[in-house]
Amino acid sequence: MSAWRLARLIARKDLRVEVRSRVITNQVLPFAGVTMVIFAFALDADSVLQRVAPGLVWLATMFSLLVLVQRSFAIETDDGALDAMRVAGVDSRAIFFGKALGLAAELIVLEVVLLFAAVILYGQTIEVGSIVLLVTTLIAATCGLAAVGTLYGGLAAGFRGRETLLPLLTLPAVAPVLIGATRAVEAALGTAGAVVSDGWPWVGMLIVFAVAFGVGGSLAFGPLVDE
Amino acid sequence: MSAASTPSPPVPVVALDDVVAVIGRFPALAGASLSVERSEIVLLRGANGAGKTTLLRLCAGLLPVERGVGRVLGFDLATQRTLVRPHVGLLGHQNGLYLDLTVRDNVSFWGDTVGATAAEIDAAMGRMGVADRLADVPTRTLSAGQRRRTSLACLIARRSQVWLLDEPHAGLDADARDELDATLRQAAAAGATILVASHELERAGTLATRTVDVVAGQVRATTPDVANPSTNSEREP
């Protein structure tokens, strides 16, 4: 079976686990929602909230990413399924891309909900002319986050202190995504006087990041998991 | 898939000749030699740290051969150990299941990794007795024995030809152990080759067609199973 078909199989399995366990709906989305509300309490001034809303959306996404990645690898290690895949000779690139694909699907849902939360809680408006930039930003940033999360989630899965290790590894690595995605969404939403054309260079950076971590992660994942 | 990539007739299924395998800098196998034919159930007997688990992991293609010659299903463990993995199933202390998924979901997933048909998946579940009442039950809610059977159904759905079982009776009650033994005999009769590492000699001895002593990383003695002479005479003329 080709690596791509195996990757889709693994992604489908991860999403099926999510449908059965409802961790996103029962835990991750409420966590992200509470984070957004807490931000609103902390920055209780409409002008400040509107200015920093894109950054808050991505910060909430980053924190939720950690929960999603922990969960994504917990299901693999609870009963030794990741080891079983390795023993079964499942291509490590397929495992990497499959896990990343499943994670990306979950992240997209989360980001859309968070954007709507920003519209409702922080008074943001989304213009029709900025939708292409917004969607492209979401996709590019999501791919980068999913690749980093899968790579470091796989690495941390084998360690006893993985709950602490994962944020320590992941948050610095996704800092470029936080910066790029925030600037691009600022441009899409017209925050702080930014215009749509300001966002595209940041999208380019997000794409380069996603490709670099996608390729690098697929190559490094096998040896990391084997160790 | 497997037929195309499997080299010429693999007789014996497992053939180790003076094999050395190293974990870190420690020679966990120090010149082990063993030959296992198709449909045999071989009990690996030995003290903790003797090398039983290492022997299983080597046969699963998880450890490199440092010296000697090792072949499983005709694949050279020195140069083709990743190729042998899809053809063997290693069951350790964990079952390799997704606890939020149902029995059917799990068996289907593992079967799908090798392109198994729906009929093969149903047959695997049927053979392990998890096809009807248990099929749509989340594995998290199953008993230890039921999970073990589900895991073995996954091995069958994966078309594993060699089953490498490390303490398969651990954590099972008497009924579940009986079920497991019956399952393994059935699998061997259907053509699977089974290596079992166990400390429960009375239990595993009645199951095995041959017993092998593993001492200090070497296979010291290989004897027909005296506890089960009738089976021995059938399988080893």
Side-chain angles (χ1 to χ4, degrees), chain A residues 161-218:
Chain A
R162 53 181 169 262
E163 292 84 3
T164 336
L165 184 63
L166 182 66
L168 286 175
L169 291 172
T170 306
L171 290 178
V174 296
V177 177
L178 177 66
I179 296 166
T182 299
R183 298 292 167 268
V185 172
E186 278 176 356
L189 300 181
T191 310
V195 294
V196 169
S197 59
D198 294 343
W200 290 109
W202 292 107
V203 172
M205 190 271 273
L206 291 173
I207 291 171
V208 169
F209 183 94
V211 170
F213 265 91
V215 173
S218 68

Side-chain angles (χ1 to χ4, degrees), chain A residues 24-98:
Chain A
I24 286 194
T25 49
N26 294 349
Q27 294 177 31
V28 179
L29 285 178
F31 169 74
V34 167
T35 307
M36 294 289 278
V37 173
I38 292 292
F39 284 151
F41 287 156
L43 306 168
D44 189 17
D46 284 351
S47 59
V48 177
L49 269 178
Q50 285 191 341
R51 201 170 69 241
V52 300
L56 297 184
V57 167
W58 286 107
L59 269 179
T61 303
M62 303 287 163
F63 294 142
S64 304
L65 168 73
L66 297 175
V67 182
L68 287 174
V69 172
Q70 296 268 20
R71 168 69 185 160
S72 177
F73 282 92
I75 63 170
E76 299 292 349
T77 53
D78 273 352
D79 197 31
L82 187 61
D83 281 344
M85 272 204 267
R86 195 165 66 89
V87 172
V90 177
D91 190 328
S92 61
R93 292 168 304 169
I95 302 175
F96 175 81
F97 283 119

